[in-house]
Amino acid sequence: LFALWQILSASGAFNPYLMPEVPAVFRRVALELVNGEFLLNAGATLYRALAGFLIAAALAVTIGIAMARIRIVHWFFDPILSVGFPMPKVAFLPVFMLWFGAYDASKITLIAFASFFAIAVNTVAGTQGVDRHLVWSARSLGASERKILWTVILPAALPQILTGFQIALPLAMIVTIVTEMLMGGVGLGGAMIRAQRFADSIGVFSGIVQIGFTGFVVIFTMRWLRRRLLSWHEEAKR
């Protein structure tokens, strides 16, 4: 991809402002890495994305398990998930800005809101898919409902729950970048929009590279964590 980019930019077929050469963009990336600007922006973006993701994970896993095991909870939340899952969550940003202000509180709330649905839906599916014979066997051995939850249901549903995490985490990163672009401030999205306002095309492309690298690290880390948590599972043997 970078080779194709360089060939096209060096061919003269495109205006250098619209497609700067790869070495110029990488020099900007290196400069911002050395002066600490990239680390500052990436740290702010990751803080917002992970904070919102963790809030969503805690709520979604709890509610998802309750939906799968308690009929009244399922009755209440199932329409909410059905309506909210396909909705564009960024459309709620003006509402959250009115409620929580124009700083991190509204951004993190929107990130949590956007991440919640994917995790909740997968948690419900994973919990409902647990083999009933496992639960019946645990009960026949005298296990309490709490013991069954922690030693049978959660481990059996964990692969599906982690799938929800793998869907929600990149979504959290996307929503974080979008909110930073719309609201400004420190962060990778905010840095890109500032570069655009000052007609700094190299800065814009540098931001794209930085966002891509940060997203790759986040996704790779989530895959590594999944392999570690499911080291006992049959999918780890594939």
Side-chain angles (χ1 to χ4, degrees):
L1 180 62
F2 285 122
L4 178 61
W5 175 5
Q6 177 59 24
I7 291 171
L8 291 175
S9 60
S11 67
F14 295 91
N15 187 312
Y17 174 77
L18 299 178
M19 184 175 284
E21 294 192 6
V22 173
V25 173
F26 272 76
R27 282 195 295 270
R28 176 66 66 84
V29 173
L31 175 63
E32 294 184 357
L33 182 61
V34 170
N35 64 22
E37 186 174 348
F38 167 67
L39 296 177
L40 177 64
N41 290 326
T45 296
L46 288 174
Y47 158 70
R48 296 177 185 124
L50 294 178
F53 171 79
L54 291 174
I55 293 170
L59 292 174
V61 171
T62 303
I63 292 174
I65 292 174
M67 285 179 63
R69 292 175 58 79
I70 304 173
R71 182 170 297 179
I72 185 94
V73 177
H74 187 277
W75 172 84
F76 180 81
F77 281 102
D78 185 61
I80 297 174
L81 293 183
S82 300
V83 173
F85 191 33
M87 290 181 64
K89 314 304 185 297
V90 178
F92 288 86
L93 181 58
V95 177
F96 290 146
M97 289 179 66
L98 287 173
W99 289 352
F100 304 106
Y103 298 100
D104 278 357
S106 57
K107 295 176 183 177
I108 292 173
T109 303
L110 180 62
I111 295 160
F113 180 68
S115 304
F116 171 85
F117 294 91
I119 301 174
V121 167
N122 279 274
T123 300
V124 172
T127 306
Q128 290 177 335
V130 174
D131 189 349
R132 293 184 179 181
H133 293 89
L134 297 175
V135 178
W136 293 341
S137 298
R139 283 182 182 151
S140 67
L141 294 172
S144 64
E145 289 300 315
R146 178 178 296 182
K147 191 76 170 178
I148 292 172
L149 174 64
W150 286 102
T151 61
V152 177
I153 294 175
L154 273 177
L158 188 58
Q160 191 78 19
I161 294 173
L162 291 177
T163 298
F165 286 1
Q166 287 183 290
I167 296 171
L169 191 53
L171 182 61
M173 285 291 297
I174 292 169
V175 174
T176 304
I177 298 297
V178 171
T179 56
E180 290 173 350
M181 287 181 172
L182 294 175
M183 299 172 64
V186 178
L188 295 174
M192 272 191 67
I193 207 66
R194 284 194 301 273
Q196 183 267 332
R197 286 171 180 166
F198 286 98
D200 179 9
S201 64
I202 294 177
V204 172
F205 279 87
S206 170
I208 293 173
V209 172
Q210 292 172 13
I211 290 171
F213 173 76
T214 306
F216 172 79
V217 170
V218 168
I219 293 172
F220 181 84
T221 302
M222 188 65 225
R223 288 177 180 172
W224 174 85
L225 184 61
R226 181 189 180 98
R227 288 197 300 269
R228 297 283 293 181
L229 291 175
L230 297 180
S231 59
W232 54 271
H233 196 267
E234 62 179 11
E235 78 172 49
K237 302 174 183 178
R238 297 173 185 172

